[in-house]
Amino acid sequence: MKKKDNQTLISFYIITIFPEMFTAISNYGVTGKAIQKKIIDLSFLNPRDFTEHKYKSIDDRPYGGGPGMLMSVKPLYLSIKHAKSLLQDAIVIYLSPQGVKLNQNNIFQLIQRKKIIFVCGRYEGIDERIIDSLIDEEWSIGDYIISGGELAAMVMIDAISRFIPGVINTKKSLEKESFYDNLLDYPHYTRPKKIYNMTVPKILLSGNHDKIRLWRLKKSLEKTLEKRPDLLEKKILQKEEKIILNTFKKNKK
Ligand code: 4GS
């Protein structure tokens, strides 16, 4: 596979008051490599740099009272506007529990966007007028509350990056992973053959690749049926998979 030098495939602009948090993905592992190889590119804008007061306050009290604070409108608005001017035609994403829940299928759709601006909220969230005027899409990493959008943005960037050619080793290892085509992963084993009195399933040592493929498919289906039957409901089953699932049902009786 050929990739032109310095060809960035996806540019991310991140609006955050804590840009240092992103060293968690930029300095380590697969995402760190992708940045080094200039396959993805992270830039930051800090709403604090768009404040006018000497105390550089970036939070404010909610109208109508109640607990907690919100992010101040003006510095956030200005930083998003600035990001949009630097990254023309980018899509602006806000991370919040109100968003569409992420899964491997919609993450895959997101790699079509070559320019993404993430808005990371802190405190109780952001003023609704920012959502109405500047946010294109709202996404959620799950039904729970975290203390800032940064971790959610990192989860998204990591999951999106893995789909870009060249970020992880081969297309094959992507396809064989959990959730590819709505199936959980099959069990894995590595050396040695026997350790702490535990062995490796014999079939994996047989060298018979047809049998190994079938065993893995069976294990994937078995695990998915047991742990995530909801995934099987939305899956389009291949003939072979239908046959295997039917034998599971027969054996249960
Ligand atoms: C999520 C979530 C989240 C909401 C950030 C309250 C701080 C917090 N973001 N998926 N303000 N779940 N955000 O909990 O994306």
Side-chain angles (χ1 to χ4, degrees), residues 1-199:
M1 185 179 45
K2 241 185 166 178
K3 190 179 81 67
K4 274 184 238 143
D5 281 346
N6 299 326
Q7 182 190 44
T8 301
L9 292 174
I10 303 191
S11 297
F12 299 99
Y13 253 84
I14 299 143
I15 317 281
T16 172
I17 59 168
F18 296 131
E20 297 85 3
M21 283 182 75
F22 287 80
T23 55
I25 57 170
S26 60
N27 289 2
Y28 302 95
V30 156
T31 46
K33 281 259 168 60
I35 292 169
Q36 265 176 23
K37 288 199 265 177
K38 295 190 161 69
I39 297 173
I40 62 170
D41 181 64
L42 303 190
S43 307
F44 302 93
L45 284 174
N46 191 337
R48 221 178 264 284
D49 298 332
F50 291 80
T51 52
E52 293 158 350
H53 312 96
K54 77 171 175 197
Y55 299 112
K56 293 191 176 285
S57 148
I58 33 84
D59 61 347
D60 217 334
R61 293 184 313 246
Y63 278 125
M69 299 293 272
L70 294 174
M71 295 190 80
S72 305
V73 175
K74 202 171 172 185
L76 189 60
Y77 187 93
L78 290 175
S79 47
I80 299 171
K81 276 283 192 189
H82 194 62
K84 281 169 78 90
S85 73
L86 293 172
L87 203 62
Q88 308 245 319
D89 309 316
I91 175 183
V92 183
I93 293 179
Y94 176 54
L95 288 319
S96 97
Q98 297 168 56
V100 178
K101 226 189 289 173
L102 284 173
N103 60 45
Q104 197 71 342
N105 298 326
N106 55 37
I107 285 281
F108 180 68
Q109 310 296 317
L110 280 165
I111 69 157
Q112 315 308 328
R113 327 279 193 161
K114 303 297 177 213
K115 299 170 179 180
I116 302 179
I117 297 168
F118 283 113
V119 177
C120 303
R122 280 269 149 185
Y123 321 115
E124 304 311 306
I126 66 178
D127 190 295
E128 196 70 16
R129 290 166 296 181
I130 294 212
I131 299 178
D132 294 341
S133 60
L134 291 179
I135 302 298
D136 297 314
E137 290 180 10
E138 258 183 294
W139 289 93
S140 165
I141 60 165
D143 293 338
Y144 43 83
I145 310 292
I146 54 177
S147 37
E150 287 81 3
L151 284 170
M154 284 189 260
V155 166
M156 278 189 79
I157 292 167
D158 186 308
I160 292 170
S161 302
R162 299 170 55 76
F163 275 115
I164 307 173
V167 170
I168 62 173
N169 274 347
T170 58
K171 187 165 160 255
K172 281 224 169 76
S173 74
L174 239 183
E175 286 179 357
K176 288 188 173 163
E177 269 180 301
S178 225
F179 287 121
Y180 175 77
D181 208 15
N182 290 311
L183 274 188
L184 295 182
D185 212 354
Y186 52 77
H188 302 277
Y189 299 87
T190 183
R191 294 185 305 170
K193 282 180 197 162
K194 190 172 179 187
I195 188 165
Y196 309 126
N197 221 18
M198 295 177 289
T199 54

Side-chain angles (χ1 to χ4, degrees), residues 189-248:
Y189 299 87
T190 183
R191 294 185 305 170
K193 282 180 197 162
K194 190 172 179 187
I195 188 165
Y196 309 126
N197 221 18
M198 295 177 289
T199 54
V200 173
K202 282 219 168 59
I203 187 126
L204 297 178
L205 311 173
S206 71
N208 185 330
H209 294 291
D210 287 338
K211 280 193 173 163
I212 291 171
R213 191 193 63 82
L214 199 63
W215 181 86
R216 285 176 167 167
L217 180 61
K218 269 186 192 162
K219 288 290 175 188
S220 280
L221 286 162
E222 200 173 27
K223 251 205 222 180
T224 314
L225 189 64
E226 186 190 326
K227 297 182 178 175
R228 293 293 307 278
D230 58 300
L231 290 177
L232 284 181
E233 271 157 40
K234 53 180 173 177
K235 180 175 164 53
I236 302 158
L237 290 167
Q238 307 293 316
K239 195 173 169 194
E240 190 179 33
E241 294 167 337
K242 279 185 197 162
I243 295 169
I244 297 171
L245 283 171
N246 281 333
T247 60
F248 289 159

